Amino acid sequence: MGIVAGLDSSSEYTRIVICDTDTGAVIRQGYAPHPVPEGADGGEDGAAAGRRTEIDPQAWLLSLGDAAAGGLLEGVQAIGVTAQQHGLVMLDETGTPVRPALVGNDKRAQTAAADLVDALGGREAWAQAVGVVPQAAQPVAKLRWLARQEPETARRVAEVLQPHDWLVWQLLGRPPRRTTDRGGASGTGYWSAATESWRPDLAELALGHRVKLPEVIGPAEAAGQTPEGLLISAGTGETMAAAFGLGVGIGDAVVSLGASGSVFSVHHQALVEPTGMITSLADATGLHLPVVHTLNAVRALRGTADLLGTDLEGLSALALKSTPGSYGLVLLPYLEGERTPDLPHTAGTLAGLRRESMKPEHLARAAFEGMLCGLADALDVLRGRGVAVNRVFLLGPAADLPAVQAIAPALLGAQVVVPQPADYTALGAARQAAWALGVAQGTLSPQQPPLWHAPAGQVFEPGEDLAVGQAVRQQYVTVREQTHPGAFG
C-alpha cells in the first residue's frame, strides 16, 4: 500500500486528492482558488478569474502551494498532474514565459483559426493531418493569433507548453527535458493521434517559425522525480483525466451537459472524419478518445425555463407532466447555431404547434427531448464510425434533473449512469500517478493501469421505453431533415 496525489489545476482553482494506490480511496483533499496576479488580463469585460483569457503561470504555482498547505502531501510517493486544456505557455530561449499564458476560453483567435483552415487547404486537410480542425481555443490557433497581433512577442517564442506540461516541469525543478503526454498533445492541432507524432510544420505554419515541442512520453511513464524524490507521472489534459478517473473503457461513452455539450468514447483507433465533426484525441491509457461537440445543451433548457418563468428544477417538473413526443412539439435546439450538424448560422426551430400542444408542460418536455436528441445525433456520429456505445455516463449538474434521468436512456439507446459528484479529473491524475509508481516499482505492467473501485452512481435502463424513445428520435430526425435537408450528409 502507498499513497499518491492527483493535482487538478483548472481554469479557476487547484484541487488535490490524496488516494490509496491499491483502491483509489480518497484519504484527504486540498483546494485553493487561483489568485488574480496584478496585471493579469480580466478578459474583454473585466470578468472574474474563471473567465479571464490570460494569466501569469506563476498563479498556478501559488494556488498549488495553497492547496497543498498543512502537510497535505506528507507521505505521498507520486504526483499526477492534470490541467485546463487548450492553454498555451510560450517560452523564450531561456525558458522564461514571453507573456502571460493564453487560456482555453480565449475566443480572440476565431479569425486566426479560420485563416489556418484555409492556409492548409480546408477542413478535410486538417482532419487528415492531425484529426483536429482548428478552433479558437486550440493552441495552434493561439499561435497564429499571436503572430498576427503581437509579432515582436511571437518572434521571441522558442518553445511551447500546455499548462499541465509547464506544471510538471516546475515540479521537477525545471530540468532541460520537457515532456507531455499523448492525450494533451492530441488537442494542440500540431500532433496526430493517428500517427502518434508531432507535426512541427503546422506549428510553424501558425507562428511563422519553428519552435521546440516537448517529448511525448507513454501513459505509464514517469516524467521524472522532484528534487525531494517524488515521482511525477506524465500528466494529461482534463478530459483525458476525467475519463481515466471515471474508469471509462471500450463500450462506454461520456455525455457532458454544459451550456454546450460534448460526447466522447474510448476507441481502439484514431478516427478521421473529413468534415472535422469528430475531433480525434488520444486518451490517458494508450487508446483513443474521439469527441463530438454540440453548441447547444443546457442553454436550450435555460432558455426555455426563462420563457416559461421558471428554473431548471421547475422545467424538469413541468416536463414530467407531459408525455413522450411532447404532443407533437419538436424543438431543434440550435440556439447558437450548431456544430453537429455543421449549421453555424442557423437558429432554433419549434415545430408541431397545435392548439392541444400549446401548454407549458409540452414545451418543457420538448426542450429536454430536443437537447437529448441533439446529443443522440452526436452519439450516432460515433456509432456510425464503428464505436460501440453500451453505457453512457452523464456528467454535469443537469444530469441530476429527474426529467433528464427519465428521458435520456430511451433517447440515447443505452444504459445511463449518473456518477456521484467527485473531482474525477483529479482522481484520474492520481490514478495515473499510481500507475507510473507501480511500473517504476515493478508491481504493475505498463499495459495495465491499477484497477481502482468503480465510481458509485445511479443507473438507469431504457427498458420497455426504448421503442417509444426511438419513435421520439424519429420524430425529431424527420423535423431536422425537413428543416435542414442533408445536414448530416
Side-chain angles (χ1 to χ4, degrees), residues 69-388:
L72 185 78
L73 298 178
E74 184 177 349
V76 164
Q77 297 165 278
I79 300 175
V81 178
T82 184
Q84 56 181 294
Q85 285 175 238
H86 297 149
L88 188 64
V89 184
M90 295 152 287
L91 308 177
D92 64 15
E93 292 284 358
T94 70
T96 303
V98 300
R99 69 181 317 285
L102 297 171
V103 301
N105 64 4
D106 189 349
K107 296 180 180 179
R108 292 176 293 179
Q110 287 176 332
T111 300
D115 288 346
L116 281 174
V117 172
D118 292 340
L120 195 65
R123 298 175 65 85
E124 184 171 357
W126 280 95
Q128 294 291 343
V130 287
V132 173
V133 177
Q135 302 285 332
Q138 285 152 346
V140 71
K142 289 177 167 59
L143 289 176
R144 171 57 69 99
W145 176 86
L146 187 74
R148 295 290 185 267
Q149 300 299 319
E150 301 177 13
E152 291 297 325
T153 301
R155 280 191 279 272
R156 295 172 52 211
V157 177
E159 184 171 2
V160 291
L161 299 173
Q162 292 183 87
H164 74 272
D165 307 332
W166 189 85
L167 283 166
V168 164
W169 183 50
Q170 296 295 316
L171 289 173
L172 292 175
R174 297 168 57 95
R177 179 193 188 213
R178 272 79 133 174
T179 64
T180 190
D181 86 305
R182 56 196 294 280
S186 65
T188 59
Y190 37 85
W191 188 86
S192 167
T195 64
E196 302 264 346
S197 61
W198 288 114
R199 286 290 304 267
D201 58 311
L202 298 182
E204 182 178 5
L205 175 68
L207 188 60
H209 64 268
R210 289 275 174 135
V211 290
K212 184 178 179 182
L213 301 170
E215 177 186 347
V216 181
I217 61 176
E221 288 187 64
Q225 289 190 334
T226 70
E228 297 77 26
L230 284 178
L231 182 146
I232 307 295
S233 61
T236 195
E238 285 187 314
T239 298
M240 299 78 189
F244 199 34
L246 282 167
V248 177
I250 299 292
D252 294 330
V254 176
V255 174
S256 181
L257 300 175
S260 55
S262 68
V263 176
F264 67 81
S265 187
V266 174
H267 197 51
H268 62 277
Q269 66 181 26
L271 296 180
V272 175
E273 204 282 322
T275 68
M277 199 174 291
I278 296 175
T279 298
S280 186
L281 302 180
D283 82 338
T285 72
L287 296 172
H288 294 270
L289 208 66
V291 184
V292 181
H293 295 277
T294 69
L295 294 182
N296 302 277
V298 178
R299 65 165 38 98
L301 301 185
R302 293 197 184 279
T304 307
D306 289 346
L307 183 64
L308 294 176
T310 186
D311 56 15
L312 292 184
E313 289 72 20
L315 191 73
S316 174
L318 271 175
L320 292 177
K321 294 179 180 179
S322 183
T323 55
S326 310
Y327 267 65
L329 276 188
V330 174
L331 176 67
L332 302 182
Y334 304 155
L335 306 186
E336 297 287 330
E338 189 47 80
R339 184 170 170 183
T340 306
D342 186 25
L343 299 167
H345 305 300
T346 193
T349 300
L350 182 63
L353 282 171
R354 295 182 178 85
R355 179 63 188 89
E356 60 271 20
S357 66
M358 297 177 69
K359 294 182 178 179
E361 59 265 33
H362 303 322
L363 178 56
R365 188 172 185 107
F368 282 96
E369 290 178 345
M371 177 189 75
L372 290 166
C373 282
L375 291 163
D377 279 348
L379 262 182
D380 283 350
V381 172
L382 296 178
R383 284 176 168 135
R385 294 299 308 277
V387 176

